[in-house]
Amino acid sequence: MLALYTGRAQAVDMNAFRNLNRPVAQAFDKEIIKVEKFVITGGKPLHGEVTISGAKNAAVGILPATILAADVCVIENLPDISDVAVSLKILSTLGAQVKMLNRNTYEIDTTHLTGTNVPDDLSRQMRASYYFLGALLSRFGRAQVAMPGGCNLGPRPIDQHLKVFSALGAEDSVDYGMITVRAKELNGAHIFFDKVSVGATMNGMLSAVMAKGQTILENCAKEPHVVDLANFLNMCGADVRGAGTDVIKVRGVEKLHGCTYSIIPDQIEAGSYMVAAATGGDVLIKNVTPKHLEPITAKLRRAGAEVEEFDDAVRVRRTGDILPLKINTMPHPGFPTDMQPLMGVLLSVAKGTSTVTESVWDNRFRYVDELRKMGASVQVDGQVAVFEGVEKLSPAPLRALDLRAGAAMVVAALMADGTSEIEEIGHIERGYENIVEKLRGLGADISKVDRVPAALEQAL
Ligand code: EPZ
């Protein structure tokens, strides 16, 4: 039940309310992303332990991949976030039986899944809906998905995804924002990606696993989630080799089968808590793969933080000054673009001048305007931002402009002495499980406030 508390401290069951007053309920649904907010009183160093959830960007590839098994898969360590909820909803809409075994484990039976059209409203809710194109094409020779939504980071073309589908023998068309791909049969091919793309590499594997013959994908993305998808497919009986290197070879097999698979820990969620700890404090970050965190660990150490690595945990501490850095975002194993806004926040209070170059996305400095409201001194020129460290950040009313920009604002608010409010937190909840509880467990003063919109308040 989604329960909200009005100004009169009256609990409202939104499901019951929807049946009574549909127009207001629909207006409310549209507005919900704007009305919830985080209230954070900063200036308290973080101490304690936090456990990292499963990787969003692996989960949103592996869930569509269960379609290929045409069988029962049990997926463990799924993060409880809205992008996963949307992926599960798409699967059940297409005809899969989806059963929750516990909060982070789902049994998914795709044996009788027959749908090939992903509903418009669901596919627009997240970027990763494009993985349903590769998975459905591979199993049924047909798929239709609306142009994907997700964070606004500048142009997000999918030409490299379509390049793979076409090389394997599929035709595509785009009409009224709907992408359709069709193929009588898929045949292995040799593809060189013009651009290193996580999504195109993963869609390449999804579409090639049951194609006839061998597919060679060159200039591939090497992110941990690319490897995780390959491992899942291989557990289902696929023959995918080389994931994690530039060249992936896929030998097509007749059919796949189900399996039980546990998703890797989320590299960026872990990195986000590492930065939060590096603002001042001492935090043990558990359930991580330290190897995946190396690019982040290296930069944090240069910035003056102490990072201690264990088998499946890292401890981050900082007591001295934050030192300025030069950062250039790159595909893995370079410094991840998804960590760039978080590092930007840290560098805004470094002792000196830092330079951050964003080499992956065209439009990933929008958070800087929010940071300036807090007194940060940042000049952006195209793809380069120059941070002149200031003494401290001041609290401010803030917006979560996208997922990682939103996480960066949470860290900024934790650093500022005083109370900040962050709006549009629906973006943050797309990718961070239980962020309020996890931060509270570290001693942060953060709460989530549901403000009931005026229209709803009047109608009650
Ligand atoms: C994935 O997006 C992640 N999303 C993003 O994380 C992440 O920022 C990005 O990879 C880079 O690491 C998911 O995994 C769901 P790309 P993706 O294809 O796959 C260009 C987050 O915060 N490009 O690797 O969509 C593109 O414009 C999100 O968790 C083409 O030109 O990214 C970009 O400049 C945000 N043609 C670059 O490649 C294409 O066909 C990398 O994009 C595809 C991409």
Side-chain angles (χ1 to χ4, degrees):
M1 168 178 121
L2 171 55
L4 290 170
Y5 289 85
T6 69
R8 284 165 275 156
Q10 170 192 6
V12 183
D13 174 349
M14 277 309 294
N15 291 332
F17 180 73
R18 264 186 196 95
N19 296 330
L20 290 174
N21 195 336
R22 284 184 73 79
V24 177
Q26 279 164 3
F28 170 77
D29 284 341
K30 277 196 193 135
E31 226 191 309
I32 191 158
I33 195 165
K34 297 201 190 92
V35 299
E36 293 177 326
K37 58 187 176 184
F38 288 156
V39 179
I40 299 175
T41 303
K44 301 179 174 71
L46 302 182
H47 286 279
E49 298 182 357
V50 62
T51 302
I52 296 308
S53 302
K56 167 181 90 81
N57 290 346
V60 294
I62 287 172
L63 288 173
T66 61
I67 293 174
L68 297 167
D71 198 356
V72 180
C73 293
V74 174
I75 310 296
E76 299 169 344
N77 204 30
L78 273 171
D80 184 11
I81 53 174
S82 57
D83 272 14
V84 163
V86 173
S87 303
L88 291 168
K89 194 154 182 201
I90 293 176
L91 283 168
S92 61
T93 310
L94 295 176
Q97 299 293 317
V98 176
K99 198 160 120 196
M100 182 177 172
L101 302 184
N102 63 48
R103 183 179 181 170
N104 301 106
T105 307
Y106 282 79
E107 182 186 273
I108 300 157
D109 183 354
T110 57
T111 316
H112 302 296
L113 182 148
T114 50
T116 56
N117 291 5
V118 175
D120 205 356
D121 55 326
L122 292 177
S123 46
R124 288 186 206 282
Q125 284 180 36
M126 60 168 191
R127 174 81 181 155
S129 49
Y130 50 42
Y131 292 129
F132 284 93
L133 279 176
L136 291 167
L137 175 69
S138 191
R139 175 156 166 200
F140 298 110
R142 188 181 186 287
Q144 191 178 67
V145 173
M147 257 342 224
C151 295
N152 175 7
L153 311 174
R156 298 187 74 171
I158 58 159
D159 56 302
Q160 299 303 305
H161 303 235
L162 299 179
K163 180 175 176 171
V164 182
F165 301 151
S166 150
L168 296 175
E171 286 179 3
D172 63 77
S173 56
V174 182
D175 272 323
Y176 290 103
M178 302 299 289
I179 310 160
T180 307
V181 286
R182 278 192 200 85
K184 284 208 173 66
E185 66 171 26
L186 296 171
N187 288 293
H190 193 146
I191 296 118
F192 189 96
F193 291 115
D194 306 313
K195 179 114 195 174
V196 177
S197 159
V198 170
T201 303
M202 289 177 44
N203 248 335
M205 293 190 282
L206 290 171
S207 52
V209 277
M210 292 194 288
K212 290 209 173 94
Q214 181 172 244
T215 297
I216 301 177
L217 305 169
E218 289 204 59
N219 198 24
C220 292
K222 297 177 276 204
E223 270 67 2
H225 29 288
V226 172
V227 179
D228 209 33
L229 174 63
N231 288 341
F232 169 75
L233 291 169
N234 286 338
M235 286 270 279
C236 293
D239 184 352
V240 180
R241 294 168 199 213
T245 73
D246 296 312
V247 183
I248 298 179
K249 293 184 179 163
V250 184
R251 215 170 261 288
V253 296
E254 288 264 299
K255 60 187 290 214
L256 301 185
H257 51 74
C259 72
T260 296
Y261 193 80
S262 184
I263 305 253
I264 53 166
D266 196 301
Q267 176 202 30
I268 306 300
E269 190 200 12
S272 305
Y273 284 98
M274 288 170 79
V275 171
T279 64
D282 183 351
V283 178
L284 183 69
I285 299 157
K286 302 196 300 188
N287 186 35
V288 302
T289 307
K291 177 96 195 131
H292 296 164
L293 302 174
E294 276 171 4
I296 304 164
T297 300
K299 286 295 178 197
L300 286 178
R301 282 184 177 146
R302 280 184 169 233
E306 255 179 72
V307 184
E308 209 179 332
E309 295 176 345
F310 303 95
D311 284 350
D312 61 356
V314 288
R315 180 177 178 188
V316 181
R317 272 179 286 195
R318 192 191 61 79
T319 43
D321 287 341
I322 296 172
L323 308 174
L325 294 177
K326 274 198 171 59
I327 291 181
N328 189 355
T329 65
M330 302 286 272
H332 193 77
F335 188 82
T337 169
D338 296 343
M339 286 298 302
Q340 185 264 105
L342 288 132
M343 284 302 273
V345 167
L346 186 67
L347 296 177
S348 68
V349 293
K351 287 267 174 272
T353 307
S354 302
T355 314
V356 177
T357 307
E358 172 55 55
S359 305
V360 178
W361 297 112
D362 287 349
N363 190 15
R364 213 170 195 174
F365 285 127
R366 293 193 311 145
Y367 71 95
V368 159
D369 285 338
E370 299 300 300
L371 209 47
R372 286 194 189 113
K373 290 186 200 162
M374 305 181 82
S377 167
V378 194
Q379 297 302 321
V380 179
D381 184 6
Q383 295 306 100
V384 181
V386 177
F387 291 76
E388 294 292 346
V390 294
E391 192 67 27
K392 51 164 50 183
L393 296 177
S394 323
L398 301 166
R399 287 170 66 205
L401 294 169
D402 61 56
L403 168 58
R404 307 302 171 190
M409 288 310 109
V410 171
V411 174
L414 290 171
M415 287 162 70
D417 285 336
T419 302
S420 301
E421 293 191 352
I422 305 176
E423 293 198 329
E424 300 182 43
I425 57 171
H427 289 296
I428 302 173
E429 292 175 334
R430 283 187 40 228
Y432 289 86
E433 176 173 326
N434 260 346
I435 186 167
V436 171
E437 291 75 9
K438 287 188 186 186
L439 284 171
R440 275 197 192 152
L442 296 174
D445 183 345
I446 172 171
S447 50
K448 179 175 164 181
V449 176
D450 294 326
R451 181 169 57 79
V452 175
L456 180 56
E457 182 84 48
Q458 280 160 19
L460 288 169

